Amino acid sequence: MTLLKGQAFSARFSDYKRSAWRFETQPVYTMPGEQPGLARFLAGEPQPAGHNDDWHEKVRSWVSAGKSIGRARTVRQPLTDYQRYQLAWGIPGNVEAGEDIRILDLTEDDLGLPDQDFWLFDDSTVVHLNFNPDGTLVQPV
């Protein structure tokens, strides 16, 4: 197994030819860039204009190049604050930009799915994402 860091992982997004797909399982992601938005959401503030624009621009460029990007997001009730934030502020704009996002509620079902997040590029390259229990990214491998 090879550890991918920084640019090596980022290159997967510029190098993929047809499809990039993510499986998301964590109840909380503690990504530094999302913390200000999450705090605003939890304080009941309105979503700021331009929220997540950098990601939306990338999604639009991949889709316009004929590539697909998507994810399946697993949830269990009750939703965490982060999941509520993601569903309210993150996912709608991502879908509008062209990302195919599916939500799988596992509250009542145990389908035997992995609890490991990963990206699948071009149906052949899997990049596992490792998270600490608090939702911080260790690093992709």
Side-chain angles (χ1 to χ4, degrees), residues 65-122:
K67 301 176 183 183
S68 66
I69 183 140
R71 71 183 77 200
R73 175 68 167 111
T74 63
V75 298
R76 284 187 168 74
Q77 303 291 331
L79 298 175
T80 65
D81 287 343
Y82 180 84
Q83 290 168 332
R84 291 185 313 101
Y85 161 71
Q86 191 179 37
L87 289 165
W89 281 21
I91 289 173
N94 293 0
V95 169
E96 185 177 313
E99 188 174 354
D100 180 9
I101 299 178
R102 309 299 170 108
I103 308 299
L104 180 58
D105 187 342
L106 297 175
T107 304
E108 301 294 326
D109 298 309
D110 180 8
L111 302 176
L113 296 171
D115 59 4
Q116 171 76 54
D117 283 41
F118 62 87
W119 276 98
L120 175 63
F121 295 96
D122 295 325

Side-chain angles (χ1 to χ4, degrees), residues 8-140:
F9 177 62
S10 297
R12 296 287 180 186
F13 291 94
S14 58
D15 295 344
Y16 83 92
K17 305 293 184 224
R18 296 175 313 283
S19 63
W21 183 81
R22 180 166 176 189
F23 187 62
E24 291 184 329
T25 66
Q26 306 304 306
V28 174
Y29 294 97
T30 309
M31 308 306 289
E34 290 182 326
Q35 296 313 297
L38 176 59
R40 283 191 212 89
F41 172 78
L42 293 175
E45 296 178 18
Q47 181 175 338
H51 177 76
N52 215 14
D53 271 355
D54 291 343
W55 179 251
H56 299 157
E57 184 177 318
K58 291 174 186 176
V59 169
R60 283 190 290 274
S61 72
W62 295 321
V63 171
S64 70
K67 301 176 183 183
S68 66
I69 183 140
R71 71 183 77 200
R73 175 68 167 111
T74 63
V75 298
R76 284 187 168 74
Q77 303 291 331
L79 298 175
T80 65
D81 287 343
Y82 180 84
Q83 290 168 332
R84 291 185 313 101
Y85 161 71
Q86 191 179 37
L87 289 165
W89 281 21
I91 289 173
N94 293 0
V95 169
E96 185 177 313
E99 188 174 354
D100 180 9
I101 299 178
R102 309 299 170 108
I103 308 299
L104 180 58
D105 187 342
L106 297 175
T107 304
E108 301 294 326
D109 298 309
D110 180 8
L111 302 176
L113 296 171
D115 59 4
Q116 171 76 54
D117 283 41
F118 62 87
W119 276 98
L120 175 63
F121 295 96
D122 295 325
D123 300 321
S124 61
T125 302
V126 176
V127 178
H128 289 144
L129 301 173
N130 295 320
F131 291 89
N132 292 310
D134 68 355
T136 55
L137 182 65
V138 175
Q139 68 188 46

